Amino acid sequence: SQTIHQWPATLVQPVGSPLSLECTVEGTSNPNLYWYRQAAGRGLQLLFYSVGIGQISSEVPQNLSASRPQDRQFILSSKKLLLSDSGFYLCAWSRRRGGEAFFGQGTRLTVV
Amino acid sequence: AQSVSQHNHHVILSEAASLELGCNYSYGGTVNLFWYVQYPGQHLQLLLKYFSGDPLVKGIKGFEAEFIKSKFSFNLRKPSVQWSDTAEYFCAVNAEGNKLVFGAGTILRVKS
């Protein structure tokens, strides 16, 4: 069976510090991978998605970047965090061509 | 670009009332459609999905949704809600095969 791991679950970081959130998927190959940010009243905002190694599509201009160094690994990064980067970040995967998404446990990021 | 609109952000119903949550999307081609639910303190889980075939889709826990292509809609229904249906509901659309976009969510509160 497929599983998705996302860590850490919570993170408190000072303004200006770097960020690295990691997500890995097990039990499948060539998944689509997604990073979302969930905010109250705004649903799940798609930040990045990837259809393959090194292929990243960015949905919104922001202080974040994403990378996919391996088929089942997706990393969300920032060089310098802003207060506005605080939020709940979700990683998800789906099979190719429009399948349903399966979500990780999420990371609560607080920038102080 | 594809987008998803959920008409009501907050819905309050009494137990046994009927439920209909609206969802409209903007995309002219083939779509895959989903409804997810997030119970308080829990992770997102899939309620139902539509890929093709019968436009009336049955999901878990007595939920159903109807895809009306001419109206670009995928409304969620349940004939009789229970207190345990209190949750946030998200409509999602995959319209380009690889990008899954969510609506802003509808918070349902069922009064016992």
Side-chain angles (χ1 to χ4, degrees):
Chain A
S1 64
Q2 300 85 16
T3 55
I4 178 168
H5 303 280
Q6 183 182 342
W7 66 94
T10 59
L11 188 60
V12 180
Q13 291 283 98
V15 169
S17 64
L19 172 73
S20 181
L21 301 181
E22 189 162 343
C23 173
T24 60
V25 180
E26 295 177 358
T28 189
S29 58
N30 301 315
N32 289 347
L33 295 171
Y34 307 87
W35 278 110
Y36 292 91
R37 179 164 51 205
Q38 185 175 13
R42 298 185 62 185
L44 276 73
Q45 182 186 29
L46 179 61
L47 303 176
F48 301 95
Y49 71 98
S50 171
V51 301
I53 297 173
Q55 300 179 62
I56 309 295
S57 296
S58 174
E59 288 298 296
V60 292
Q62 58 204 324
N63 186 42
L64 301 169
S65 62
S67 62
R68 184 170 178 173
Q70 300 180 46
D71 181 47
R72 290 170 291 173
Q73 183 185 28
F74 205 25
I75 298 171
L76 183 68
S77 304
S78 173
K79 291 182 180 177
K80 288 186 177 182
L81 283 168
L82 306 172
L83 286 174
S84 57
D85 292 323
S86 294
F88 189 62
Y89 292 84
L90 283 162
C91 180
W93 76 273
S94 72
R95 293 180 180 86
R96 292 300 176 84
R97 308 310 299 171
E100 69 194 79
F102 301 90
F103 288 87
Q105 307 232 349
T107 296
R108 175 73 59 191
L109 171 66
T110 304
V111 182
V112 297
Chain B
Q2 67 195 77
S3 65
V4 180
S5 297
Q6 292 184 238
H7 312 301
N8 307 99
H9 188 56
H10 281 95
V11 173
I12 301 174
L13 295 173
S14 298
E15 275 193 310
S18 64
L19 170 72
E20 181 160 3
L21 301 182
C23 173
N24 286 90
Y25 63 92
S26 63
Y27 187 76
T30 302
V31 293
N32 295 332
L33 300 158
F34 308 87
W35 276 98
Y36 284 81
V37 61
Q38 187 171 33
Y39 297 102
Q42 296 187 27
H43 307 302
L44 282 159
Q45 58 181 283
L46 184 70
L47 265 183
L48 47 77
K49 60 187 176 185
Y50 172 80
F51 286 179
S52 63
D54 188 344
L56 185 61
V57 181
K58 304 285 187 183
I60 61 171
K61 305 186 181 187
F63 286 91
E64 64 179 30
E66 185 175 13
F67 170 49
I68 303 179
K69 188 174 181 179
S70 61
K71 295 185 178 180
F72 300 91
S73 70
F74 190 55
N75 292 353
L76 181 71
R77 300 195 292 247
K78 185 171 184 179
S80 176
V81 295
Q82 302 171 313
W83 178 80
S84 57
D85 293 323
T86 294
E88 189 164 12
Y89 294 81
F90 296 93
C91 181
V93 176
N94 190 315
E96 297 173 13
N98 291 313
K99 185 169 75 170
L100 185 60
V101 176
F102 283 78
T106 297
I107 297 171
L108 171 66
R109 187 165 77 89
V110 180
K111 299 183 294 183
S112 57

